[in-house]
Every structure is written in C-alpha cells, then in structure tokens.
Amino acid sequence: MSGDVPRQGMLDTNVLILRRWINPAELPDEMAISTVTLAELSAGPHEVRRNDEQDMYDEHEERGRRMETLQRTESEFDPVPFDAEAARVYGRVTAAVITAGRKPRRRIADLMIAATAIAEDLPLYTTNPGDYAGLGKLLRVVPVTRPALPHDKRGS
C-alpha cells in the first residue's frame, strides 16, 4: 500500500485524547469513532487517581481535560455501533491475536474498536500500533505520531 493518508478512517481512543496536539495532516479527512471509544472516554473521568495516589498529574486538571475530551467527542461524532457484524468480526480478531501469541483479554476494548473498523472497512489510526500486532491480515493500522503533552509531568 502507498504511504498516502487514506481519506476515511476510524480513530482509536488514544488519537481522540491526543488530537489537539496531533498534526492534522496525519489524520484522514473523514473521521469515525466506535461506540467502544465513546465508552472508554466516558469512563475516563472516573478513572482519575487522587493526587495522594500519584504524582503524574493534578487530579482536578486531569478530570477536567478528560471531561472536555468526552464532551468534544460527543458533540463532533456520531459513533459507529459495535453491532452484530462487528461482534462476528471480533471472533476473527481474537483468533488472529491468539495466533500471534498474544492474550486478547488484555485489550478487549482495543480489539472491539479494531473489529468495528474492520466491519466498516476503515483503516484504524492509532498512536499505539503495537496494540494491534497480529491483525495485519485483517486491518490496516495507520500509525500516528504520539505528541509530547504540555501537561505531562513525566517529561519535566
């Protein structure tokens, strides 16, 4: 396949989280998301650890960032459902992951997003292409450069 960016594609959850810092030229003109991504983003604000449990971020700022990402996503996208076709594809995705020597249970949400992309015949854009190792025969994974984050304390 050529190195051209496809015109249409499904965005992985990590791309939505990092999108404001990603070069738009790395993304397709027409973007879709899965309902699984919306579920992950909906859970995100509730998963923020308290300041006394970690030192990577301020809990209040992080919760606000996650809520903003969720709200922007809800207003911008009409998510593609994880439907019966995606559920059938998920079986093939699981088989491919097992064949590659990986454990599918560790990445259920990622694999459901991949199954949705396959069912919709869309490439999947992600900053974590390794999450989809073993799916090369079923899915085109488009790596997106992971940007440095201005609020990430790990880099300072």
Side-chain angles (χ1 to χ4, degrees), residues 126-142:
T126 182
T127 63
N128 299 325
D131 289 351
Y132 301 97
L135 299 182
K137 292 181 180 177
L138 299 174
L139 173 69
R140 178 176 177 194
V141 175
V142 181

Side-chain angles (χ1 to χ4, degrees), residues 54-106:
Q54 53 78 35
D55 63 359
M56 292 174 18
Y57 51 74
D58 175 77
E59 69 178 293
H60 305 290
E61 291 174 4
E62 182 64 18
R63 190 171 290 109
R65 275 191 291 276
R66 291 180 185 201
M67 284 299 300
E68 182 179 353
T69 299
L70 171 61
Q71 291 167 344
R72 285 180 187 273
T73 301
E74 287 176 324
S75 70
E76 185 176 351
F77 292 94
D78 184 16
V80 177
F82 182 83
D83 60 10
E85 181 60 24
R88 284 187 283 277
V89 170
Y90 184 80
R92 293 191 350 245
V93 167
T94 298
V97 168
I98 291 169
T99 298
R102 302 180 74 214
K103 297 188 184 315
R105 290 233 181 251
R106 300 191 84 188

Side-chain angles (χ1 to χ4, degrees), residues 3-135:
D4 294 338
V5 174
R7 200 167 84 50
Q8 297 178 320
M10 182 160 291
L11 305 182
D12 193 7
T13 307
N14 55 61
V15 170
L16 280 167
I17 292 167
L18 301 169
R19 193 164 67 145
R20 76 174 66 180
W21 299 283
I22 290 174
N23 179 350
E26 290 192 61
L27 300 176
D29 295 331
E30 295 178 29
M31 297 177 273
I33 67 165
S34 169
T35 53
V36 178
T37 290
L38 189 58
E40 287 188 303
L41 292 176
S42 295
H46 305 289
E47 296 173 343
V48 172
R49 294 184 316 185
R50 296 186 336 227
N51 287 334
D52 62 355
E53 297 175 340
Q54 53 78 35
D55 63 359
M56 292 174 18
Y57 51 74
D58 175 77
E59 69 178 293
H60 305 290
E61 291 174 4
E62 182 64 18
R63 190 171 290 109
R65 275 191 291 276
R66 291 180 185 201
M67 284 299 300
E68 182 179 353
T69 299
L70 171 61
Q71 291 167 344
R72 285 180 187 273
T73 301
E74 287 176 324
S75 70
E76 185 176 351
F77 292 94
D78 184 16
V80 177
F82 182 83
D83 60 10
E85 181 60 24
R88 284 187 283 277
V89 170
Y90 184 80
R92 293 191 350 245
V93 167
T94 298
V97 168
I98 291 169
T99 298
R102 302 180 74 214
K103 297 188 184 315
R105 290 233 181 251
R106 300 191 84 188
R107 295 244 169 245
I108 290 174
D110 291 332
L111 300 181
M112 290 175 75
I113 292 167
T116 306
I118 294 165
E120 294 295 315
D121 196 27
L122 292 171
L124 180 64
Y125 288 73
T126 182
T127 63
N128 299 325
D131 289 351
Y132 301 97
L135 299 182

